[in-house]
Amino acid sequence: MRITLKVWRQSGPAKAGTLVEYAADNVSADMSFLEMLDLVNEGLIARGEDPIAFDSDCREGICGACGFLIDGLPHGPVRGSTVCQLHMRSFSDGDTLVLEPWRAKAFPLVKDLVVDRSAFDRIIQAGGYTSINVGGARDANSILIGKDTVEQAMDSAACIACGACVAACKNASAALFTAAKITHLSLLPQGQVERYTRVVRMVDRHDDEGFGSCSNEGECEAVCPKEIPITNIARMNREYLKATLMRGR
Amino acid sequence: MTLDSRTPGGPLPGKWDRHRFESKLVNPANRRKFTVIIVGTGLAGASAASSLGELGYNVKSFCIHDSPRRAHSIAAQGGINAAKNYQNDGDSIQRLFHDTVKGGDYRSREANVYRLAQLSVNIIDQCVAQGVPFAREYGGLLDNRSFGGAQVSRTFYARGQTGQQLLLGAYQSMMRQVEKRSVSLFANREMLDLVVVSGQARGIICRNLITGEIERHAGHAVLLCTGGYGTAYYLSTNAVNSNVTAAWRAHKRGAFFANPCYTQIHPTCIPVSGTHQSKLTLMSESLRNDGRVWVPKKNGDKRPPQQIPEEDRDYYLERRYPSFGNLVPRDVASRNAKVVCDEGRGVGESGLAVYLDFGDAIKRLGEDVIRTRYGNLFDMYRKITDEDPYRSPMRIYPAIHYTMGGLWVDYNLMSTIAGLHVLGEANFSDHGANRLGASALMQGLADGYFVIPYTLANYLGGTAFPVVTTDHDAFRDASDTVQGRIDKLLNARGKETPRQLHRRLGQLLWDYVGMARNDAGLGKALAEISKLRDEFWQNVSVPGPANNLNKNLEYAGRVADYLEFAEVLTVDALHRTESCGGHFREESQTPDGEALRDDANFSYVAAWEFKGVTAKPELHKEPLDFEYVKPSQRSYK
Ligand SMILES: Cc1cc2nc3c(=O)[nH]c(=O)nc-3n(C[C@H](O)[C@H](O)[C@H](O)COP(=O)(O)OP(=O)(O)OC[C@H]3O[C@@H](n4cnc5c(N)ncnc54)[C@H](O)[C@@H]3O)c2cc1C
Ligand code: FES
C-alpha cells in the first residue's frame, strides 16, 4: 500500500518546527508502524537527507521507548498497543497520517518525534522503591502474599513509562504514571513501611516537574498501552489524603 | 601472557566464602574517594550501581537509553532460576550447579557456576524485598515453573514480564541512590572508548547522544555491563539498539574476547516473514511447559494443522527425547527444528517453521488457565501474526537470542585489563557453550548485587592509583580516536544505508556461522566479511549533523564495529572443530546427529587477543578442569 505521512520535523528545542510530507510506498500489511518509518528513513538516508528521529528499542511493547501521536492519538488507533506493536494492517491504502511528538511542558522536545521524559525518572527517584539495601533481605517465602493481591499489584507494575498518559491528558498530567507505581507498592506488604511518605514525596515531585493536575477525564486510561485503569489514580488520591491527615495529626 | 582465572583453592562449596574472607576491604570512610564508572543499566549494571551506591562508592552510571529503565533486560519474559527447592521436588544448589555445567556442555568454569548457584537463593530474597510481584500460589507462597534442561521447577516468574519486574526493582534501587547522590546518572551517553593508563582502566570516552559532545570521564575502575552481541546477526530477539561497541572497543584496548562462537539460537521465535523485518520476537521458553512441538510426518503435507490427525503428526522432541520431551535445552530443540525443516517437513509459507500446539493443554486445563499462564504471550503472537493461538497452533522457528561468549574475566569478574570488570551478558563467564533458560537474569543479578561488591573492594583496596585526570594524554588520544572515527563515517558520503549493510552481514553470519557450521562455509564467511567491511567504509551513507540527536550515526558506528567483530566470531568458530552446545560443527556429530565434543583437544576457554583490524587475533587458552562434574556425552533421552 501507499501511505502519505505528515511528520513533525524540528531539529532542536530552540528551533522552529513544521509538518513535512513524505510518501511511504510499497508498505506491506505485515510491517509494524516503525518498520514503515524505517523504510521512509532508508530512502532519506540513501539520498543524503537527515532521517526522521524517533525512539524505539525492544520493538515488542515492553521498554517504553517508542511513542508519538498518530492523527492526535498516542500510539495510534489500536487500544492496548504501543506504536511498535501497531501493524500496517490497521491502516488502508491511500491513508494520510499526521505524526507528532508528545506535547507537554514537562517533556521538552529533543528532536522531531523524540521528547525528554527524564521527569519520569525523577518521580521514581523521589520514592518509587522500598528502601532495602542489598544483603539484608529475609527468606522470600516468609512474606505471604495472596494471589489476587499480587496479580493486582502486577497490573499496576506493568507500566512501561512511555508517556502516552501525559500526551493524552489535556492538563498534561502524569497522574496515571505516578499512581501506577504508588499502587503497586502500596498493595504489597513490602511497601507498607514507607507507604505514606512515598505517596507524598512522589506526588510533590510530580507537581514540581511541571505536570498538570488530574481532572478525571480518563483519556490516559484509554490510550495506555498496558491498559492501566484510572482507579489507580483514585487510590493514589486516597493514599495522599490519608498521608496528609496523618501528618497533620 | 598466561590467563590466570584466580579461582580460589579449597573444596568447591567453600571457595566463595573463603575468597570473601581473604579479600581486602575498603573502609567505609574511604569508599566515596573511589569513583566507579558503570556502563550499562540492565540487570547487571543497575544492580551493581545500586549495591555499590549503597556501600558509599562514588558511582557514575551510563546508558545509551533516555532512561536506565529501558535497558534490554526489560524484555526478558520467562523467568529467573534459583535453587530454593520451594517445591520440594529434589532441587539443591548442587543440582542447579550440575544442570548448568551439563547444560553448558562442559565448557564453563566450575567454581563460577557453583558460586552462581549458591547466590541464586539470595537474589530471590532481595527481589521480593524490593516488591517484585513474582507469581504466587493461592496460599501466598511463591510459584515456580519449569524451564528447559531441568527436571525440577525452580523458575520464578512475574507473568511473561519477569525481566521487566526484576529490572524495575534494580532500577528503583539505583534511583534511590541517585536521589541520595551516591550515584550520578548519565543517560543518553554511548561509551566509545576505554581509557587505559599505566595498564589500568581509568576512564571512558563517550558521546552525548543529544548534543553530540565527546565527553571524558575518569575513575578508579570501569564496569562494563553492556549486554550481548546477538544483533551482529541483524535479525535477533534482542532490542534493536543492542551492540558490541563498548566491549569491542575495550577489546581493542587489550581485553581478551572469550568464546565468541558460543551463540544461542532460541527454538521458539515467531518465524521470519519478510525483508522488512527489523527484529524477531521471542515466544518464551515457558510455553514449552504446556505446548507440544510437532510437524507433519509426511514431507510437503500442506493441510491446515487442525486437519492433520494425530497419527500423521510427528512430536519429534517427545519421540527422540522421552525423558525431557519438549523441555530439552535450547540448542537441542533448535537443531531438531532445523533438521525437520531441512527434511522438507517444515510448515507455513516459507517451510521454515514448526508447530507449537496448545490444543491438548487447553483441553486438559481449560482456556482460562492457559490465559492466566501465557495470556500476554498469546496476545503478542496475535498482534504480530494476526492469528489466534487459542484456536490453531503457533508457528515457531529458531532465532539468534543470546551470546554466551563475551569479554574474558577471572573469578573476580576482572578482564585482562586491570580494573576493567565485565558483568552480565557482556562477559563469558558462567554458561559455557549453551545457556539454560532463566539463567541470564540470575547471572546478571548475581554479578551486580553479590559478586562485584566484594571483588571490586578487593581490587580497589589492594591497588595503588596514580593521580589521573581527564587532561591526561591517554584521554586526549582516546578522544581523538573517537572523533576521527565519527568524522570518517560522516565523510564517507556513499549510497548504502547502514541498515542495508547490516542486513547483509547478518545474512552472512546466519548462513555460515548460524545453527550449523562447517569448514568451507566459515572460510567463505571470513572472505566475505572483510569485503563487506571495505564496502562499508567506501559506500556508507551517514547524513545529518554530528552535533545533535543522530540515530543513524550511532547505528553506523555500531555496524562498523560488528564488521570488525564478525571476523573474530568466525575465526573462533573455525578453530573449534568440535561441536559443543550452541556451536555445532557438522564435521563433529554422533551417529544420531547430536553435538559431539572433543574433550581431548578442546576442553579450554578460547580467549582472543586483538592484533589489528586486518590481522589474525592471537589465541590464548584457559584450560578447563572438571573436579566435580564428570564430562560425558550430554543426554536428554
Ligand atoms: C526477548 C528476550 C527474552 C529473554 N528472556 C529471558 C528469561 O526469561 N530469563 C533469562 O534468564 N534471560 C532471558 N533473556 C536474556 C536476558 O534478558 C539478558 O541476557 C540479560 O537481560 C542481559 O542483561 P545485561 O544487564 O547483561 O545487559 P542489557 O540488559 O542488555 O543492558 C545493556 C545496557 O548497556 C547499555 N549500553 C550498551 N552499549 C552501550 C554503550 N556503548 N555505551 C553506554 N551504554 C551502553 C544499554 O543502555 C543498557 O543499559 C532474554 C533475552 C531476550 C532477548
Ligand atoms: S520499542 Fe519498546 S515499547 Fe515500543
Side-chain angles (χ1 to χ4, degrees), chain A residues 56-59 61-66 82 84:
Chain A
S56 80
D57 198 24
C58 72
R59 298 206 170 188
I62 192 76
C63 74
C66 69
T82 52
C84 62

Side-chain angles (χ1 to χ4, degrees), chain A residues 42 45 57 121 181 190 205, chain B residues 65 128 171 179 497 541:
Chain A
E42 287 290 284
I45 295 166
D57 198 24
D121 289 327
K181 186 47 62 189
Q190 302 93 304
R205 186 70 56 92
Chain B
H65 297 92
V128 166
Y171 154 80
E179 183 79 0
T497 66
S541 170

Side-chain angles (χ1 to χ4, degrees), chain B residues 270-448:
Chain B
I270 300 181
V272 175
S273 70
T275 53
H276 59 264
Q277 264 171 311
S278 54
K279 74 160 294 188
L280 296 174
T281 303
L282 174 76
M283 289 285 104
S284 166
E285 174 157 325
S286 59
L287 293 169
R288 287 197 273 144
N289 273 290
D290 288 305
R292 300 177 69 194
V293 177
W294 64 276
V295 289
K297 277 189 179 154
K298 282 193 299 280
N299 269 12
D301 186 340
K302 290 285 167 215
R303 285 176 290 176
Q306 296 85 346
Q307 287 172 24
I308 301 183
E310 277 301 305
E311 63 271 20
D312 290 345
R313 299 177 175 193
D314 179 13
Y315 295 91
Y316 57 89
L317 290 178
E318 297 171 22
R319 173 171 59 79
R320 293 196 62 193
Y321 308 97
S323 58
F324 281 71
N326 293 296
L327 283 173
V328 292
R330 293 173 174 177
D331 53 336
V332 178
S334 291
R335 239 170 356 250
N336 277 278
K338 178 174 169 9
V339 168
V340 295
C341 291
D342 288 350
E343 286 168 4
R345 297 195 285 145
V347 301
E349 234 168 87
S350 63
L352 289 178
V354 300
Y355 290 125
L356 179 62
D357 198 335
F358 293 87
D360 283 352
I362 291 174
K363 247 181 261 159
R364 191 174 71 245
L365 304 162
E367 199 171 308
D368 283 348
V369 172
I370 295 300
R371 196 181 303 278
T372 43
R373 283 190 192 163
Y374 313 112
N376 68 317
L377 298 171
F378 277 42
D379 287 349
M380 194 148 57
Y381 184 85
R382 188 181 40 75
K383 274 185 191 147
I384 293 173
T385 62
D386 209 19
E387 287 169 21
D388 179 3
Y390 292 102
R391 303 282 154 267
S392 72
M394 289 184 177
R395 279 176 298 107
I396 52 160
Y397 198 66
I400 290 284
H401 176 62
Y402 180 86
T403 54
M404 283 73 69
L407 293 179
W408 184 88
V409 289
D410 64 14
Y411 188 73
N412 295 318
L413 304 181
M414 190 154 89
S415 70
T416 49
I417 301 175
L420 178 70
H421 294 73
V422 189
L423 284 67
E425 191 173 342
N427 74 23
F428 89 106
S429 66
D430 297 353
H431 308 293
N434 173 58
R435 174 176 71 80
L436 291 182
S439 288
L441 303 182
M442 170 171 74
Q443 183 223 329
L445 291 179
D447 288 357

